């Protein structure tokens, strides 16, 4: 679909799953309506759907704030996701992008059908790019040719940080990737930045986990952070984008939840029993500190050896050792950058994730009006 085929110069955005991240994106898109850039690059929020109901363009355009849209959505009639998507696919005057803000395997599996309908896709959902290799390949195949709809998923790794865009630029310009390593979990970053540093106050690991959960820094069950699977998904995406056929099923991933606690029934039981294992974490930490090192939970995508996701030790002089708060940090070692190219900053949070998504939407709008779609 090209701009010369009669498509009007406006991009329509349809959001699937207006939860924390989706709601932040709604706020940014509503604010964008009144910005000077809107006249130059008209990007219009035109649809929202959740598990209970959906709103299309006429209803969405009446909402001047997130709260107004949420109220309208609470009264909206229920409908299917397929009906919602088809409403945009049927509009031949405008190009539309479907933004999947869920974490659903089922929704991610629909990307190929959306692309075949001529709809572009933007998402922070890691499932379509870290799950089935066949699904990953199909998504890439359907979005790589001239005139075909586009897929952007910057926010699947590092939220709003320019991780995938930097990686793609390195690849497209012919650089040879040798190693990618990084701290990709804001939760695990916070836990070990707090627990393992010479200047850090001495605290028990279990206590730090408990405080992090109370402050909303972890998943409802902290084991979903500590098992490393979220980091493994991000490592898999980075590998696949680089041409390395990684899989979460074969990637070595260290689960730092004590084995005795991996099968307990509830998060509350896990937290109540975690202090019994503080001694093991203290020992690991002290061994590192005695050698002027710190503990960091790191993914390594190695193009000349084995990739891994595990707890590692780094010298105090290393950039990973000086990380603060819940920041992410990613280091690209390449032929052109033997001294790694480093990206660092907030790698989690609704506002920065929505920023990453919005940036991808803008890229699609710019390419649409340059006649690329």
């Amino acid at each position: 679909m090209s701009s010369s085929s009669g498509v009007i110069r406006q991009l329509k955005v349809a959001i699937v799953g207006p939860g924390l991240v989706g709601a932040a994106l709604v706020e940014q898109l509503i604010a964008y309506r009144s910005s000077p850039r809107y006249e130059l690059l008209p990007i219009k929020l035109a649809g929202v759907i959740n598990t209970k109901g959906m709103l299309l363009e006429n209803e969405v355009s009446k909402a001047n704030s997130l709260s107004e849209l949420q109220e309208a959505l609470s009264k909206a009639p229920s409908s299917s996701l397929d009906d919602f998507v088809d409403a945009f696919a049927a509009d031949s005057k405008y190009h539309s992008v479907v933004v999947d803000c869920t974490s659903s395997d089922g929704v991610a599996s629909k990307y190929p059908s959306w692309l075949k309908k001529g709809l572009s896709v933007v998402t922070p959902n890691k499932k379509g790019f870290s799950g089935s290799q066949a699904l990953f390949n199909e998504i890439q195949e359907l979005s790589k040719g001239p005139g075909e709809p586009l897929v952007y998923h910057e926010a699947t790794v590092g939220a709003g940080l320019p991780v995938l865009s930097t990686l793609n630029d390195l690849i497209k310009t012919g650089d040879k990737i040798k190693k990618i390593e990084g701290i990709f979990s804001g939760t695990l970053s916070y836990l070990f930045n707090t627990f393992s540093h010479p200047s850090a106050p001495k605290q028990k690991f279990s206590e730090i986990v408990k405080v992090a959960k109370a402050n909303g820094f972890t998943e409802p069950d902290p084991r979903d952070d500590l098992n490393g699977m979220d980091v493994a998904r991000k490592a898999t995406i980075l590998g696949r984008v680089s041409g390395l056929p990684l899989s979460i099923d074969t990637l070595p991933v260290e689960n730092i939840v004590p084995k005795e606690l991996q099968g307990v029934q509830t998060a509350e039981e896990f937290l109540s029993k975690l202090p019994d294992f503080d001694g093991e974490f203290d020992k690991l930490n002290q061994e590192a500190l005695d050698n002027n090192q710190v503990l960091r939970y790191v993914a390594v995508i190695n193009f000349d050896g084995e990739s891994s996701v595990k707890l590692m030790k780094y010298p105090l002089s290393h950039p990973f050792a000086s990380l603060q708060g819940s920041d992410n940090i990613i280091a690209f070692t390449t032929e052109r950058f033997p001294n790694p190219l480093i990206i660092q900053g907030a790698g989690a949070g609704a506002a920065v994730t929505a920023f990453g998504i919005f940036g991808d939407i803008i890229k699609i709008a710019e390419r649409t009006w340059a006649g690329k779609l």
Side-chain angles (χ1 to χ4, degrees):
M1 183 186 298
S2 70
S3 55
S4 61
S5 66
V7 175
I8 296 175
R9 192 174 178 273
Q10 182 183 87
L11 184 72
K12 288 190 174 184
V13 178
I15 297 177
V16 181
L20 284 175
V21 171
L25 179 61
V26 166
E27 287 188 305
Q28 292 179 18
L29 286 166
I30 289 176
Y32 184 77
R33 285 180 194 166
S34 56
S35 75
R37 279 191 58 79
Y38 185 84
E39 297 300 320
L40 299 171
L41 204 67
I43 296 170
K44 186 173 186 180
L45 177 61
V48 180
I49 186 170
N50 62 15
T51 55
K52 296 180 180 178
M54 78 173 189
L55 297 173
L56 292 176
E57 186 171 359
N58 287 342
E59 294 80 13
V60 170
S61 62
K62 297 173 186 175
N64 294 310
S65 67
L66 172 63
S67 59
E68 287 182 13
L69 186 140
Q70 288 173 329
E71 183 179 355
L73 189 58
S74 70
K75 301 172 183 175
S78 62
S79 186
S80 73
L81 179 56
D82 289 341
D83 290 342
F84 178 74
V85 169
D86 284 345
F88 290 91
D91 189 346
S92 60
K93 289 185 178 180
Y94 301 94
H95 186 61
S96 296
V97 54
V98 182
V99 182
D100 172 21
C101 289
T102 75
S103 58
S104 163
D105 284 293
V107 175
S109 71
K110 293 180 179 291
Y111 298 170
S113 68
W114 298 350
L115 294 166
K116 289 174 183 176
K117 294 175 189 290
L119 300 165
S120 290
V121 176
V122 170
T123 183
N125 184 352
K126 294 179 279 293
K127 303 297 175 60
F129 309 93
S130 62
S132 158
Q133 182 73 51
L135 176 59
F136 177 86
N137 292 344
E138 187 177 11
I139 292 168
Q140 300 304 303
E141 192 64 30
L142 288 168
S143 60
K144 73 177 185 181
E148 291 179 340
L150 302 166
V151 176
Y152 283 97
H153 57 104
E154 182 71 76
T156 57
V157 181
L161 297 178
V163 178
L164 294 182
S165 55
T166 299
L167 176 58
N168 278 311
D169 285 346
L170 291 168
I171 294 167
K172 288 175 183 176
T173 58
D175 202 353
K176 182 180 179 183
I177 313 296
K178 295 185 174 180
K179 183 167 67 172
I180 305 170
E181 56 188 327
I183 296 170
F184 297 110
S185 163
T187 302
L188 292 169
S189 178
Y190 170 81
L191 293 177
F192 286 104
N193 292 341
T194 305
F195 179 64
S196 185
H197 197 277
S199 61
K202 295 297 180 185
Q203 299 179 67
K204 295 299 182 183
F205 187 73
S206 63
E207 207 44 50
I208 297 170
V209 173
K210 188 179 295 183
V211 170
K213 182 180 185 302
N215 288 326
F217 296 163
T218 73
E219 294 293 331
D221 188 332
R223 287 176 294 181
D224 292 336
D225 296 296
L226 298 172
N227 66 14
M229 291 310 297
D230 180 63
V231 178
R233 288 191 179 278
K234 294 170 183 175
T236 297
I237 292 169
L238 287 166
R240 288 179 175 178
V241 169
S242 306
L244 200 63
L246 291 185
S247 167
I248 56 172
D249 298 323
T250 56
L251 183 66
V253 180
E254 181 180 4
N255 184 347
I256 60 172
V257 177
K259 287 184 179 179
E260 296 87 344
L261 303 185
Q262 290 177 13
V264 298
Q265 294 300 307
T266 65
E268 289 69 27
E269 184 180 358
F270 163 70
L271 288 170
S272 70
K273 293 181 176 178
L274 186 58
D276 296 342
F277 300 87
D278 278 333
E280 295 179 19
F281 286 101
D282 285 341
K283 183 181 177 183
L284 284 173
N285 192 30
Q286 196 57 54
E287 287 173 354
L289 294 176
D290 287 345
N291 290 288
N292 293 314
Q293 297 174 316
V294 294
L295 299 174
R296 297 291 182 262
Y297 195 86
V298 174
V300 178
I301 300 97
N302 198 331
F303 291 77
D304 297 315
E306 187 177 56
S307 300
S308 64
V309 175
K310 61 184 179 181
L311 192 61
M312 298 175 69
K313 297 174 183 176
Y314 284 87
L316 296 178
S317 59
H318 196 281
F320 291 5
S322 58
L323 205 62
Q324 296 183 349
S326 59
D327 277 3
N328 283 191
I329 186 168
I330 301 92
F332 295 101
T333 303
T334 75
E335 201 168 70
R336 294 178 187 150
F337 291 91
N339 185 22
L341 186 163
I342 291 176
I343 298 169
Q344 178 180 342
V352 294
T353 303
F355 154 76
I357 296 167
F358 200 173
D360 282 349
I361 293 169
I362 287 172
K363 290 182 179 74
I364 290 176
E366 290 173 338
R367 290 188 63 177
T368 301
W369 300 326
K372 302 302 181 185
L373 283 172

